[in-house]
Amino acid sequence: MLSFASSLDGDKESFAIFVNDKSHYRDKKKLLSKNTAQKINSFLSGLKEKKNNEEYIFSFDISEKQKCFVIKIKNKFESYWPQESGGNFFSYIKKNKDIKKINIYADSLDFERDKLVDFLSQFLFGFNLKSYTFNKYKTLKKETIKQKIDFKVITSIKEKIESKYKYYDAIKEGVFLTRDLVSEPPNVLNPEAYVKEIKKLSKFGLKVKSYNEKDLKKLGLNALLGVGQGSANETYLVTLEWKGKNNSSKKPIAFVGKGVCFDTGGISLKPAKFMEEMKYDMAGSAVVVGLLKSLALRKAKVNAVGVVGLVENMPGSNAQRPGDIVKSYSGKTIEVLNTDAEGRLVLADALSFTEKKYKPKFIIDLATLTGAIIISLGEEYAGLFSNNDELSKNIFQSSQNVNEKVWRLPLHKNYDKLMDSTIADVQNINYAGGAGSITAAQFLQRFITNKTPWAHLDIAGMAFSKKAANLNPGGATGFGVRLLSNLIKKYYE
Ligand code: BES
Ligand code: ZN
Ligand code: ZN
């Protein structure tokens, strides 16, 4: 629980303070007793002797019942460090099982006002991101699993901090929705259940429209439909519209996501080992949904649309066969040589549908598209592909700002050629081998027909991690929501 207050009702609770590199605490606002302030300073001078530059969160006992946490602020830090220190602070206090309540003395931050407001709201944002849990399928009482900490921010500029924090809180809600959706097991979150979840977002002011198989057939999204052909669960395409600009004739920006609720590979069946991970093959779509929710919550001054293709890739008597040819929504014919390269079939139709219907300013798609991107970039960077240098540059800059890293890989006509089919317009895999992520991106590019600025983020290595990181406890990461929120805020609002 997080709350804000402008004054302190007694100073007996455990508390946290910020100190700068000089390691001296000045109790400018006279929050603490002289005795406590002295104890802090003698602790800090003890710290000075320890030459450990890595550590920056410490604690000591003021009394048996009262702990003081000290967060040391570096003189120079990256733009994302406030969030990461918040996340690390959460991990630190989680180790102190008996802590139930903490006051955080924001005024101890020795910054000018705007910097203080920004630092602190980001610190709280990081703290909350790291506290995420997904335990709805644990039958143990939730309270015993999640340690509840009352976290009260004491500050003389309560209104300022609260209102800035609201911005980050909206993004946090988006990240949490993305993580929830990705964490759901595939028997629960099938395409139909997913549509129902998205429809719930209408209450925040998003216009949600879903297309079922009948609608999709009529429109001719046969590349998408082919992927779901072997599944007992129906295929859907869902659009989410956010109109945050009064002038609604303004072209929207568009986000498209791969929502393969489970990817068995289809008839080109995947091996059993780690197949369970393919429940997260809908992560791209979950980022789009989480992002649109956060735009609505923070009433972003932008017109944006999200388009997600929701489908299950299963083998079955009616499943698509390797060798099938489908006519996509764009009119181009695709020879499906491998039914496991299904994400690009979903995106092909979702991309051309988005381009035609919305004529957006740009399109960014997100997908857990290729295993090959994990070979090249691992769990550190998402792959970025684009037909537009400016869009690319902005995405790269935002990825640096929030430390959700992307690395641009090339597109080239010689890679494009590898996707020519002998009997159709295009084939869905590159038989020559090599450049698996690039050739997948080349395939997608064929469905951007009106030269709309477009970028593709291959997040196969980033969406899910067995390891915990600074801002998540492990599992679904929500990678992309912070990056795209920053992009919109910085360049398009
Ligand atoms: N969903 C997978 C990609 C993937 C792999 C995501 C590992 C996350 C972790 C995608 O649909 C796929 O199967 N791609 C194939 C393409 C190949 C058949 C050309 C792949 O990467 O092996
Ligand atoms: Zn696949
Ligand atoms: Zn897939």
Side-chain angles (χ1 to χ4, degrees):
M1 265 292 287
L2 174 65
S3 62
F4 296 85
S6 46
S7 65
L8 203 56
D9 41 357
D11 67 347
K12 293 281 164 280
E13 305 294 348
S14 290
F15 62 93
I17 54 164
F18 298 96
V19 296
N20 62 15
D21 262 357
K22 290 188 208 89
S23 296
H24 182 79
Y25 177 63
R26 275 182 305 147
D27 192 21
K28 280 186 296 188
K29 300 273 156 61
K30 298 273 175 288
L31 278 169
L32 304 167
S33 72
K34 229 183 187 159
N35 189 18
T36 307
Q38 250 165 21
K39 279 189 182 162
I40 293 172
N41 276 320
S42 71
F43 176 77
L44 292 177
S45 49
L47 267 190
K48 252 193 234 161
E49 266 114 66
K50 273 209 272 170
K51 284 258 173 302
N52 188 343
N53 291 330
E54 289 295 300
E55 249 180 289
Y56 61 92
I57 303 174
F58 310 91
S59 66
F60 67 98
D61 294 336
I62 300 277
S63 67
E64 214 178 298
K65 289 210 174 94
Q66 190 179 30
K67 249 189 178 5
C68 169
F69 295 90
V70 177
I71 301 141
K72 236 174 131 175
I73 309 289
K74 298 193 259 187
N75 274 338
K76 260 197 165 158
F77 51 81
E78 303 85 354
S79 54
Y80 53 81
W81 189 75
Q83 295 181 18
E84 296 196 342
S85 58
N88 291 333
F89 184 54
F90 176 82
S91 307
Y92 191 96
I93 57 173
K94 226 184 129 198
K95 284 186 225 134
N96 292 274
K97 288 265 181 289
D98 45 334
I99 297 276
K100 295 273 173 283
K101 226 172 157 183
I102 295 182
N103 290 327
I104 173 152
Y105 296 151
D107 294 343
S108 61
L109 254 176
D110 202 8
F111 289 152
E112 42 107 358
R113 187 201 266 200
D114 285 353
K115 200 170 162 195
L116 190 154
V117 169
D118 196 60
F119 185 100
L120 204 80
S121 32
Q122 288 208 52
F123 181 87
L124 298 172
F125 178 47
F127 183 92
N128 275 325
L129 284 176
K130 180 71 183 180
S131 76
Y132 175 82
T133 52
F134 185 79
N135 57 19
K136 70 189 265 205
Y137 295 100
K138 293 264 191 200
T139 49
L140 259 178
K141 286 243 175 317
K142 282 181 188 161
E143 283 72 17
T144 58
I145 299 167
K146 194 175 174 184
Q147 174 196 2
K148 282 209 172 123
I149 303 166
D150 254 335
F151 201 60
K152 196 185 244 176
V153 181
I154 317 290
T155 162
S156 56
I157 45 171
K158 178 171 172 288
E159 282 70 29
K160 282 234 160 207
I161 291 184
E162 244 181 323
S163 89
K164 182 84 181 197
Y165 178 71
K166 267 197 192 133
Y167 165 79
Y168 287 110
D169 199 54
I171 299 169
K172 180 208 81 186
E173 288 296 315
V175 173
F176 279 15
L177 174 59
T178 303
R179 290 179 183 172
D180 283 348
L181 291 168
V182 172
S183 305
E184 283 292 348
N187 60 328
V188 174
L189 199 83
N190 57 39
E192 190 184 335
Y194 198 169
V195 173
K196 282 200 183 119
E197 286 305 312
I198 300 175
K199 285 203 165 146
K200 289 185 189 162
L201 300 179
S202 324
K203 67 168 179 276
F204 301 113
L206 287 168
K207 193 168 141 203
V208 180
K209 185 170 160 56
S210 71
Y211 299 78
N212 62 19
E213 284 187 359
K214 202 167 142 234
D215 305 324
L216 296 172
K217 218 165 262 164
K218 219 156 122 198
L219 285 162
L221 277 81
N222 301 313
L224 167 63
L225 283 168
V227 174
Q229 220 172 272
S231 168
N233 292 310
E234 209 175 330
T235 299
Y236 292 87
L237 183 108
V238 182
T239 59
L240 303 89
E241 299 176 16
W242 170 247
K243 284 217 168 86
K245 267 231 161 93
N246 291 337
N247 179 2
S248 60
S249 66
K250 195 103 181 148
K251 278 183 174 182
I253 55 177
F255 301 91
V256 172
K258 168 180 175 183
V260 176
C261 294
F262 196 76
D263 180 12
T264 64
I267 297 299
S268 315
L269 195 64
K270 284 184 182 295
K273 199 169 179 197
F274 300 135
M275 200 204 268
E276 73 284 357
E277 292 188 353
M278 284 304 113
K279 75 168 186 180
Y280 78 75
D281 211 20
M282 35 59 74
S285 68
V287 174
V288 171
V289 173
L291 175 71
L292 267 287
K293 177 179 181 181
S294 71
L295 292 178
L297 286 177
R298 69 181 183 81
K299 304 216 168 6
K301 290 190 182 50
V302 68
N303 293 341
V305 299
V307 177
V308 293
L310 309 181
V311 59
E312 192 177 51
N313 188 20
M314 298 288 268
S317 61
N318 192 41
Q320 179 155 261
R321 293 146 291 252
D324 282 3
I325 292 180
V326 292
K327 193 175 181 82
S328 69
Y329 179 69
S330 71
K332 286 187 179 156
T333 54
I334 305 167
E335 188 182 13
V336 181
L337 294 177
N338 187 317
T339 63
D340 196 13
E342 85 299 337
R344 59 197 80 181
L345 300 171
V346 173
L347 288 177
D349 275 353
L351 286 169
S352 27
F353 178 84
T354 304
E355 196 182 29
K356 185 160 180 230
K357 182 170 164 77
Y358 295 105
K359 301 184 177 46
K361 193 179 159 80
F362 66 71
I363 304 178
I364 297 175
D365 78 67
L366 298 108
T368 47
L369 202 64
T370 65
I373 204 71
I374 310 177
I375 310 277
S376 30
L377 300 173
E379 292 193 6
E380 282 303 320
Y381 288 78
L384 162 67
F385 305 83
S386 181
N387 62 4
N388 186 286
D389 288 343
E390 191 195 335
L391 181 61
S392 230
K393 211 179 92 228
N394 294 348
I395 293 173
F396 182 75
Q397 188 53 52
S398 285
S399 88
Q400 298 281 307
N401 292 346
V402 304
N403 205 23
E404 286 193 329
K405 303 191 290 299
V406 301
W407 199 255
R408 190 175 181 184
L409 291 165
L411 293 167
H412 190 276
K413 63 177 181 0
N414 292 355
Y415 291 122
D416 181 71
K417 247 193 269 164
L418 300 172
M419 303 308 276
D420 282 339
S421 156
T422 47
I423 57 169
D425 297 331
V426 59
Q427 61 189 32
N428 79 331
I429 58 164
N430 154 33
Y431 255 137
S437 307
I438 299 174
T439 48
Q442 294 291 167
F443 178 93
L444 298 183
Q445 195 179 13
R446 293 208 184 190
F447 297 88
I448 299 289
T449 45
N450 291 328
K451 297 211 168 76
T452 305
W454 155 78
H456 156 59
L457 293 171
D458 193 337
I459 59 168
M462 307 309 295
F464 198 92
S465 174
K466 290 195 169 133
K467 289 183 296 199
N470 285 332
L471 296 177
N472 70 66
T477 61
F479 179 97
V481 177
R482 287 186 307 121
L483 161 63
L484 297 174
S485 298
N486 186 279
L487 179 82
I488 296 171
K489 180 85 182 154
K490 281 250 142 57
Y491 302 102
Y492 303 103
E493 265 187 81

